[in-house]
Amino acid sequence: MGPARPPARGSRVQQSATSSVPRASGAAGDKIFEWLCRGAGLLVLALLGAIILTLFIGGLPAFREFGVSFLWSTDWNPVEGRESYGAAVAVLGTVITAILAILIAVPAAFGIAFYLTELAPEWIRGPVGTAIELLAAIPSIIFGMWGLFILVPIIQNYIQLPFGEVLGAIPVIGVIFESNNFAGTSLFAAAVVLAIMILPFIAATMRDVFLTVPAVYKESAYGLGCTRWEVMNKVVIPYTRVSVVGGIMLGLGRALGETMAVTFVIGNANRIATSIFDPSTTIASVVAMEFPESLMGSLKQSSLLALGFLLFVISFIVLATSRWLLRSRLK
């Protein structure tokens, strides 16, 4: 038996020895990537916590001065020596305009998504989809100016007056539509502008998730004799409901925090509106209008920061409620 020969070139021993180097470097790269991703997630939480803490600390003097009554007080008197502030008008205006905007935008967004995915010919889907997405790129101040000079007169002449005459005489609900506002700026005008602004977000989300439904599911339903609406109602919507609700919540979050567009068309009146055609205000519009005029460390500035904190809380409650409803429906 002759002497043992060294392993041939390219043998398994050499291959395993040389392959250990890239595996080690790959493991190190995975670790670095893992810690970078973890750091990014923690950074988001840190920023979120910092924003909440800053708003709460800044609004603490107002909470101490007015107590819990700050939440339901309708006062907003910045006169020095008789200062009195409350959040009720701004909170109600924020919630009402956001809800009205969602009620207007969601049916329109669903119709657009349904048309683009089920009815529109191929040659028109691209241009219409691109136009919807470009609508989201328009600055909010442009929406505000357009709403003030174009939309407000249209609403006043063709919606407010006819609806007030026809529906104002109905008991109980008539007061919602009856208004003596002659300026035109109102809660409803703000809601319509918000609906136009959030429409592209909701419509684009719905369209994209509708396209993710496997074609075999829809073809099977059509094979059983279902109509297009039945396919949408029984197949597409149940398959995509989580993403659809997510898109709606994205639009609602935009509506809750919109500032300049609402400031142009809502009227900025610090009173609780009894009609949707009355002027009022929102948290974002109050902060945008009055924060530059507030003195550093003043009670007014603290009240504005407290309003910002309440807006954050409202947004969190809305998103948490939507998450809870989705999880309860999926169980």
Side-chain angles (χ1 to χ4, degrees), residues 81-282:
R82 294 182 294 173
E83 288 182 287
S84 178
Y85 302 101
V89 176
V91 169
L92 284 176
T94 300
V95 173
I96 292 173
T97 53
I99 292 175
L100 287 176
I102 287 294
L103 292 177
I104 297 171
V106 169
F110 177 80
I112 292 171
F114 181 79
Y115 173 74
L116 291 179
T117 56
E118 300 294 332
L119 300 176
E122 288 292 337
W123 63 271
I124 204 174
R125 292 183 182 182
V128 173
T130 303
I132 293 296
E133 293 171 355
L134 288 177
L135 193 62
I138 300 177
S140 60
I141 194 170
I142 302 300
F143 278 108
M145 291 189 295
W146 172 81
L148 179 63
F149 294 112
I150 303 299
L151 187 63
V152 166
I154 293 175
I155 291 176
Q156 185 178 21
N157 294 326
Y158 300 103
I159 298 179
Q160 177 182 336
L161 296 178
F163 273 63
E165 293 177 359
V166 175
L167 302 178
I170 300 177
V172 182
I173 66 170
V175 68
I176 300 176
F177 303 97
E178 187 177 13
S179 175
N180 295 322
N181 174 33
F182 299 104
T185 53
S186 61
L187 283 171
F188 185 75
V192 173
V193 170
L194 285 176
I196 297 172
M197 293 183 66
I198 66 177
L199 177 64
F201 296 97
I202 303 176
T205 302
M206 286 186 178
R207 181 202 60 187
D208 292 341
V209 298
F210 288 171
L211 291 174
T212 63
V213 179
V216 65
Y217 290 0
K218 296 191 288 186
E219 291 171 359
S220 301
Y222 285 127
L224 293 173
C226 294
T227 61
R228 281 175 172 164
W229 169 244
E230 288 173 336
V231 171
M232 178 63 67
N233 189 33
K234 301 296 184 181
V235 177
V236 177
I237 293 179
Y239 188 88
T240 60
R241 60 183 176 184
V242 175
S243 299
V244 167
V245 173
I248 294 173
M249 291 301 108
L250 176 66
L252 180 58
R254 173 75 187 273
L256 287 171
E258 179 52 44
T259 305
M260 294 311 300
V262 174
T263 303
F264 272 88
V265 299
I266 198 170
N268 301 300
N270 189 62
R271 62 174 183 266
I272 295 179
T274 58
S275 168
I276 61 174
F277 298 116
D278 285 343
S280 188
T281 190
T282 64

Side-chain angles (χ1 to χ4, degrees), residues 290-313:
E290 303 199 19
F291 196 86
E293 302 174 358
S294 62
L295 298 177
M296 183 68 66
S298 64
L299 186 59
K300 180 179 181 179
Q301 187 182 77
S302 177
S303 300
L304 293 172
L305 291 172
L307 285 177
F309 176 77
L310 291 178
L311 179 60
F312 197 98
V313 171

